[in-house]
Amino acid sequence: MEVDRLYEKLKVLQESKGYYFNRDKEKVLDILRDLLVNRERYGYMSCPCRLTSGDRERDKDIICPCEYRAPDVKEYGSCYCNLYVSREWNEDKIPHAYVPERRPPGKMLFA
């Protein structure tokens, strides 16, 4: 299944960079399925937790992994959609706080 291949590929690639999938594998697989849907629709895997314009240049900041992932994980232990997390987050060593939207309003679809 395509989602399983994507899971395995990204897991290896991102863990080598210090980013881990949320330990809730079903949540991860749901998000990965949505990324694949967006790839089919738009030609790129835009974050399914945000509105996509369909313009790759306008959406380049939200192509997964989005440019907000690093600061989100550094500050909160998790990215906005909880796909990528720190090891400490997965091990409950830090609180699972709400991650606010970092995308500037001017980049949002209806801003």
Side-chain angles (χ1 to χ4, degrees):
M1 184 182 282
E2 190 174 7
V3 72
D4 295 319
R5 286 192 303 272
L6 182 61
Y7 177 91
E8 291 304 324
K9 179 181 176 183
L10 292 178
K11 184 176 188 316
V12 170
L13 180 66
Q14 298 305 321
E15 283 186 3
S16 70
K17 297 176 183 179
Y19 298 100
Y20 301 87
F21 280 140
N22 186 321
R23 67 175 179 230
D24 182 345
K25 190 169 181 182
E26 284 309 308
K27 179 180 179 79
V28 169
L29 292 176
D30 285 344
I31 294 171
L32 294 179
R33 284 185 198 97
D34 291 342
L35 284 168
L36 291 170
V37 166
N38 282 348
R39 185 176 72 187
E40 182 68 27
R41 280 186 190 152
Y42 306 112
Y44 52 94
M45 292 194 306
S46 63
C47 177
C49 300
R50 295 177 166 107
L51 291 174
T52 302
S53 72
D55 178 332
R56 185 182 186 97
E57 185 60 28
R58 182 177 178 150
D59 294 336
K60 68 182 179 182
D61 63 318
I62 60 169
I63 294 175
C64 189
C66 74
E67 68 181 48
Y68 311 106
R69 176 187 68 173
D72 284 350
V73 172
K74 182 176 181 179
E75 186 172 348
Y76 299 99
S78 171
C79 70
Y80 181 67
C81 58
N82 300 132
L83 176 63
Y84 291 109
V85 301
S86 67
R87 183 183 312 244
E88 295 79 15
W89 192 93
N90 261 345
E91 294 173 355
D92 291 324
K93 292 180 179 176
I94 60 173
H96 293 192
Y98 171 76
V99 179
E101 174 64 89
R102 284 186 194 266
R103 194 174 198 209
K107 289 195 168 205
M108 292 183 196
L109 188 57
F110 299 109

